Amino acid sequence: MKTPLTAPLHFTPAYKQPLWGGNKIYDYKGLPAPAQGIGETWEISGMPGGPSVVDRGQLRGKTLAEVTAEYGAGLLGQKVFNRFGTHFPLLVKLIDAGDDLSIQVHPDDDYARKHHDGSLGKTEMWYLLDCTPEATIRAGWEKETNPTELRKIVQTDEVLSFLKLHKPRHGDLFYLPAGKVHSIGAGCLILEIQEASDITYRLFDFNRTDARGMKRELHIDPASEVINYAVDTEGAKNFATPEPNKLVTMVVSPYFRTSVLSLTDESFHLDLGSRDSFTFYFVEEGEVAFEGQGGWSEKVRKGDFLLLPAPIKEADIKLHSSSAKLIECFVP
């Protein structure tokens, strides 16, 4: 492996244009959109189906997968490297639902490893950046069901009556462990942090057809095997107005740990010495500069992501606007 990385990485994301895509992501970033109907941007991705590409510094033009393969623990941290090898373990997206997404579920690590060539499973979290007044989130069973009944209710929209319907607000956070059924409703703009997996089992797709008049494939058999059938009506936790100038914990899971920082002070010191993992930051509001040892400085603004390799053990965030709000994530 090469000498450990001691400067941050900034990326150009890959983008996807699914049937349900909207046009809010680049408006949110304040940038011109490269295309219409962009439903997802894969912002931090080592996935072959949509790699993010370093767009600044000496590694400019390299994909995150290439950087991970070259630097290993010098990017990921030794513990993360021991656990995942040169497979970058997270996939981070922005999602704009111009229409309802399918009712779906994801497998856990054991099932995915067995049935999908050693893939990771997919536990994820959603953080609401924006939503229309009529937007909805479906997450968890509101009424009890079972594998036999499941096959019946997914034949029509009856399945919707079994799911808990949530009315999201800006700042809402939904934690979705593998096996929990869910769907993002039209009008939601979301930050999604998940295991690096693209395995989705669709249960119901609102009878949509593509440009050729074809319906998308459903995956009832594997879905019925991985679903958690227990009633689960847990709602969202809201982080719209967290305590200022403090990292406030959002999610603690085996796969990622996330916090929110509402910054009003001129500077905030990051002490990363206790973790053996890369850390990334997403700027939800405002503009800041990250500064570190060796004289590096990276300015980022609303909609930007910045990845700090594991060898960076401290840095300072300098405020360049009246206030700022950031999401922090690392592998515990």
Side-chain angles (χ1 to χ4, degrees):
M1 299 295 176
K2 293 189 176 182
T3 303
L5 286 169
T6 55
L9 300 176
H10 186 275
F11 301 96
T12 296
Y15 66 83
K16 306 287 182 176
Q17 296 171 282
L19 291 173
W20 43 262
N23 295 293
K24 293 180 179 178
I25 293 175
Y26 284 88
D27 285 346
Y28 178 84
K29 294 185 176 194
L31 297 173
Q36 294 295 302
I38 294 176
E40 297 183 348
T41 51
W42 291 17
E43 300 282 345
I44 299 180
S45 167
M47 302 286 287
S52 53
V53 179
V54 180
D55 61 11
R56 300 178 186 175
Q58 64 179 6
L59 297 177
R60 183 174 181 176
K62 290 184 177 290
T63 66
L64 178 56
E66 290 172 333
V67 176
T68 306
E70 288 181 22
Y71 289 88
L75 167 66
L76 301 175
Q78 191 62 53
K79 287 185 179 179
V80 178
F81 178 73
N82 291 346
R83 183 176 170 190
F84 297 101
T86 56
H87 179 78
F88 194 84
L90 298 180
L91 173 57
V92 185
K93 305 176 181 178
L94 295 180
I95 297 177
D96 174 19
D99 197 355
D100 293 337
L101 275 67
S102 61
I103 307 300
Q104 56 190 242
V105 71
H106 309 297
D108 63 15
D109 289 348
D110 289 341
Y111 191 94
R113 192 177 298 114
K114 180 178 179 180
H115 296 274
H116 295 276
D117 298 322
S119 174
L120 295 175
K122 190 173 175 183
T123 286
E124 60 192 355
M125 61 158 270
W126 297 337
Y127 177 74
L128 269 291
L129 301 173
D130 191 21
C131 55
T132 59
E134 64 275 12
T136 59
I137 293 284
R138 292 182 171 93
W141 296 116
E142 185 170 47
K143 296 189 291 186
E144 186 174 347
T145 186
N146 56 60
T148 300
E149 187 171 37
L150 178 73
R151 293 178 180 277
K152 171 180 174 291
I153 62 177
V154 297
Q155 299 302 313
T156 68
D157 61 3
E158 183 183 5
V159 65
L160 301 180
S161 69
F162 279 73
L163 291 163
K164 176 62 178 178
L165 189 67
H166 304 274
K167 295 293 292 182
R169 302 171 294 158
H170 165 243
D172 275 356
L173 183 143
F174 291 85
Y175 178 60
L176 302 162
K180 184 169 181 172
V181 290
H182 56 267
S183 173
I184 300 172
C188 292
L189 180 65
I190 285 177
L191 166 66
E192 179 178 275
I193 299 171
Q194 58 160 93
E195 293 181 82
S197 169
D198 199 27
I199 304 171
T200 294
Y201 300 147
R202 283 188 292 271
L203 289 163
F204 181 72
D205 198 33
F206 301 93
N207 298 311
R208 283 181 291 223
T209 57
D210 62 18
R212 299 174 299 157
M214 302 293 292
K215 292 183 179 180
R216 291 197 295 175
E217 181 183 4
L218 300 181
H219 313 97
I220 309 304
D221 287 340
S224 68
E225 294 180 349
V226 305
I227 283 175
N228 182 344
Y229 289 95
V231 171
D232 177 5
T233 59
E234 182 180 352
K237 296 179 180 179
N238 189 266
F239 293 91
T241 56
E243 182 181 348
N245 305 306
K246 177 183 178 181
L247 281 166
V248 177
T249 300
M250 303 171 82
V251 168
V252 178
S253 82
Y255 313 104
F256 47 80
R257 178 170 182 147
T258 57
S259 301
V260 59
L261 172 63
S262 178
L263 188 60
T264 58
D265 288 348
E266 292 184 1
S267 181
F268 185 87
H269 182 69
L270 294 171
D271 181 356
L272 311 176
S274 63
R275 66 187 64 165
D276 192 7
S277 167
F278 64 89
T279 305
F280 77 80
Y281 294 88
F282 167 68
V283 184
E284 181 185 355
E285 298 172 5
E287 184 175 310
V288 299
F290 285 76
E291 300 177 357
Q293 292 180 337
W296 62 260
S297 178
E298 289 284 353
K299 186 178 287 187
V300 283
R301 59 187 293 276
K302 180 179 178 179
D304 274 340
F305 292 77
L306 194 68
L307 190 153
L308 274 56
I312 297 177
K313 296 304 182 184
E314 59 180 323
D316 291 297
I317 305 175
K318 299 295 181 68
L319 190 59
H320 281 241
S321 53
S322 60
S323 63
K325 189 176 180 185
L326 300 93
I327 307 297
E328 177 193 80
C329 178
F330 66 95
V331 178

